[in-house]
Amino acid sequence: MTSRRTPRNTYRLQIRESFDLSAATDRLEYLHHLGVDWVYLSPLLEPEPGSDHGYDVVAHDRIDPARGGAEGLAALSAEARRLGMGVLVDIVPNHVGIATPSANAWWWDLLMHGRESRFAEAFDIDWAAGDGKILIPVVGDGDEGSVRVDVAAGEVRYHDHRFPLAPRTRSLEKQHYRLVSWRAADDRLNYRRFFAVNTLAAVRVEERWVFDQTHVEIKRWFDEGLVDGLRVDHPDGLRDPEGYLGDLARLTGGAYVLVEKILEPGEMLPPSWETAGTTGYDALGAIDRVLTRPVPPGDLPQDGLDWAAMVHGTKRAVADTILGSEIRRIVRELPGGTAPAAGTLTKRLTARLRGAGSTAPTPLGMPVERVVDAVAELAACFPVYRSYLPTTRGHLDEAFDRARAARPDLVPVLDALVPVLGDAAQPAALRFQQTSGMVMAKGVEDCAFYRYNRLTSLNEVGGDPSEQHLPVAGFHELMAIRQRDRAEAMTCTSTHDTKRGEDVRARITVLAEAPAVWTAALSRLQTLAPVPDEAFAALLWQAVVGAWAAGGDPQPDPALRSRLHAYAEKAMREAGDHTQWTAPDQTYEAAVHAAVDAAFDVPEVGAVLGELLTLVDDAGRSNALSAKLIALTIPGVPDVYQGSELWEQSLVDPDNRRPVDFDLRASLLAERIPTHDAATKLSVTTAGLRLRRDEPALFTSYTPVEGRGEHADHLVAFDRGGAVTVATRLPLALIEAGGWGETELVLPAGTWWDHVTDRDVESDGTVYLSEVLDVCSCALLTRIPEDGPS
């Protein structure tokens, strides 16, 4: 086993067939020169054929051959060791890919043998609800006739889908599964999924043998010293996250482990978890908000929207539709419910499961649909992703209070649910905990974030976009807590899950400093290229402004048009209020796509965009550089998402997984005086990464640094124990005021070195910010000893 190592910083790489482990190995020298301490790899285990992201694992006993296989990881690890670097790998314990059943040996065996399969216990299936069969929702409307049995091949086929025939059978009726309408996923599905993705089936790692077999390759990595740490995907989907992390600590010898846990504002990670902390969305939210100007109500377009009411509505809609199967399964597991641990149901009992109206006993002695209604309401009212009974009972109590207030008619049912869902020994309580996070993710991240479009730079995972601003004093308070409690947690500004890249958000943030200009521009754009929904128009044009080429180039990257079209399609269908993935409104979508084209083809639209880009470009750069340096130097382990050492103007996945031009980055880093438009960001990133890696003793505490003078409110500065970060906030107003003037930074007397601009800064106890920040909007200072640099 490896001894515990902790990264000083990380750099995330997306490993895929077109950028495999061998290609990643070739880039380690560049990353080392950049200042990277650990390389951070996306999932490596074999996924669905052709998967670009790797989160749909089908085999846990091997690294994907297309990604380089075991030899590829061995070579990368050896090169990392040569360079003194560590290796962090993303793992996916919650679910497996089942889109191609033949690719997943466990799922194939399960379909072939049903409950007699040796892998039956690995999957979370309610056999009773399917009358002893797994319901697979793949059949199109009216297309049941396309399902056929191919006895010679030993398969059931439906177009390109292939499923196994049970031994010694020849008919559909004898199979351990039933191919049903895709619409059945909403309320009749009987296997747990990843959120509402039918092709990702959850696995039960709480069972010891399932944990062992799904971690056999991961264990090898640590036994052979190939990997130093792990990032755990979606722990909230697990039955017992704390127990899982304990098992993982034993398997890895207590290695460095991060969790992709979404914390709502004010929520803390359970202290008993064996983890260094989260992957950093809480830090991202704080950074974005300390750089955002508070805008009075009514000054921005879409100000009249009620975030809390919207979220309740979108979560409730999700609970009633695409996650209805999960809600009904909770109800079946309540005392008096109809989901026995084993055995089949009669047709009468199956009908009652589906709410067909039986007089048989019902959950809690109440009508099934009333209980379903109450559980769905409770999920819609849940204030955070999930509870972890018994330690976080307060969140459950708050949800009950909210549900009672929202639905007085359900109070008797809710009161009956309290003792059951509050008892960690009850199966329904454990399942509710696994489900509430699904409802939050689908209702908020994948729906409300596309409808609440006041200032979309704040619409990020784990954030509340109605909380627009964080005062500098509040930011310092949060960072001091972070230093005290989670100094080894990750910080980030972009990830593969962010809705907008860091520099897209940095530009959009500027609009809060010029709400009247933005409001007028949006009105003109609606006149010139009308979008049927004004709320969606606000989202769309913010994305265009944020993603347009740096410098406002009127001839942006030719790929931008197609990228914006793809983004618009995903955004409007995720919003789901006018068009949906399952029922596209062609007229509405055509109008939106016409607006995207107008950005490129209609001169009058281009003129409005040009004015906005002129407004936000310089200030957006300032925000981007400040955010980057703050993220690299606050308490925690900073991560750089691949390519974001230069401008990161990606939109939502899959746009943010586009290939990165590492040759360009390596050549810029090698230049003594780089002339590229993003050279300053490269300097900021390199300064932060190198100092964090090479001088960790300068980052052991957190103390705010004071500014004095007329524009001191434009300063965010802190001392990490020898390394002082100085950053600009609200740059547009500062530019309009003519700069810093005589505003000062309180800095101990002596000679300091700015690692961003490579020059001296002299202080006699204070120094003018106009001198420190005349070249770049941020600085990273360390004191030069009196006898000179060592």
Side-chain angles (χ1 to χ4, degrees), residues 303-323:
D303 252 352
L305 297 175
D306 184 329
W307 172 248
M310 178 184 287
V311 164
H312 178 272
T314 55
K315 289 176 67 178
R316 181 61 208 243
V318 162
D320 289 339
T321 56
I322 60 174
L323 292 177

Side-chain angles (χ1 to χ4, degrees), residues 488-510:
E488 294 183 351
M490 185 173 275
T491 68
C492 66
T493 43
S494 295
T495 76
H496 60 283
D497 282 328
T498 43
K499 302 298 183 184
R500 294 157 191 83
E502 59 200 53
D503 300 329
V504 174
R505 301 198 310 275
R507 274 192 180 174
I508 294 171
T509 296
V510 179

Side-chain angles (χ1 to χ4, degrees), residues 25 28 72-82 85 87 225-227:
T25 301
L28 291 186
L73 179 60
L76 181 141
S77 182
E79 176 66 359
R81 300 293 180 247
R82 184 186 74 81
M85 299 172 71
V87 179
L226 299 170
V227 169

Side-chain angles (χ1 to χ4, degrees), residues 232-506:
V232 177
D233 182 69
H234 187 48
D236 276 351
L238 304 177
R239 192 77 156 181
D240 178 15
E242 181 174 350
Y244 172 78
L245 290 170
D247 290 341
L248 199 61
R250 286 185 284 277
L251 179 121
T252 65
Y256 180 80
V257 169
L258 295 163
V259 289
E260 188 223 8
K261 163 63 185 168
I262 311 304
L263 297 172
E264 290 298 292
E267 184 185 7
M268 303 298 290
L269 198 65
S272 56
W273 284 15
E274 293 190 62
T275 176
T278 74
T279 50
Y281 289 112
D282 45 340
L284 181 154
I287 294 166
D288 282 351
R289 281 160 179 76
V290 78
L291 298 178
T292 302
R293 173 183 177 265
V295 182
D299 281 11
L300 280 171
Q302 303 305 310
D303 252 352
L305 297 175
D306 184 329
W307 172 248
M310 178 184 287
V311 164
H312 178 272
T314 55
K315 289 176 67 178
R316 181 61 208 243
V318 162
D320 289 339
T321 56
I322 60 174
L323 292 177
S325 292
E326 281 71 17
I327 297 296
R328 289 180 176 275
R329 188 166 180 190
I330 295 168
V331 173
R332 294 197 296 270
E333 293 191 354
L334 291 166
T338 55
T344 62
L345 293 179
T346 65
K347 291 188 180 296
R348 178 180 60 80
L349 208 52
T350 302
R352 179 158 58 80
L353 271 175
R354 298 172 184 168
S358 168
T359 58
T362 56
L364 306 177
M366 297 177 175
V368 169
E369 294 308 315
R370 286 269 287 167
V371 182
V372 169
D373 191 5
V375 173
E377 185 63 29
L378 189 66
C381 291
F382 216 79
V384 296
Y385 274 67
R386 66 166 281 176
S387 56
Y388 309 95
L389 294 174
T391 57
T392 54
R393 174 63 187 263
H395 295 313
L396 182 64
D397 292 337
E398 182 180 348
F400 272 111
D401 289 344
R402 290 182 177 186
R404 291 186 186 99
R407 292 289 303 278
D409 60 308
L410 291 176
V411 167
V413 190
L414 292 165
D415 287 347
L417 286 169
V418 169
V420 180
L421 296 186
D423 182 358
Q426 289 283 347
L430 296 175
R431 190 164 300 282
F432 181 82
Q433 291 188 132
Q434 289 178 284
T435 305
S436 62
M438 299 183 192
V439 175
M440 177 75 87
K442 296 305 296 180
V444 179
E445 294 172 34
D446 294 342
C447 186
F449 273 2
Y450 294 95
R451 295 186 185 182
Y452 189 88
N453 301 322
R454 185 175 187 265
L455 194 69
T456 57
S457 54
L458 303 178
N459 293 18
E460 275 305 341
V461 179
D464 180 342
S466 69
E467 293 187 3
Q468 175 191 327
H469 170 66
L470 178 63
V472 175
F475 177 81
H476 289 318
E477 182 180 353
L478 286 178
M479 294 306 107
I481 294 171
R482 188 176 179 86
Q483 173 64 30
R484 182 192 69 198
D485 297 339
R486 291 290 181 183
E488 294 183 351
M490 185 173 275
T491 68
C492 66
T493 43
S494 295
T495 76
H496 60 283
D497 282 328
T498 43
K499 302 298 183 184
R500 294 157 191 83
E502 59 200 53
D503 300 329
V504 174
R505 301 198 310 275

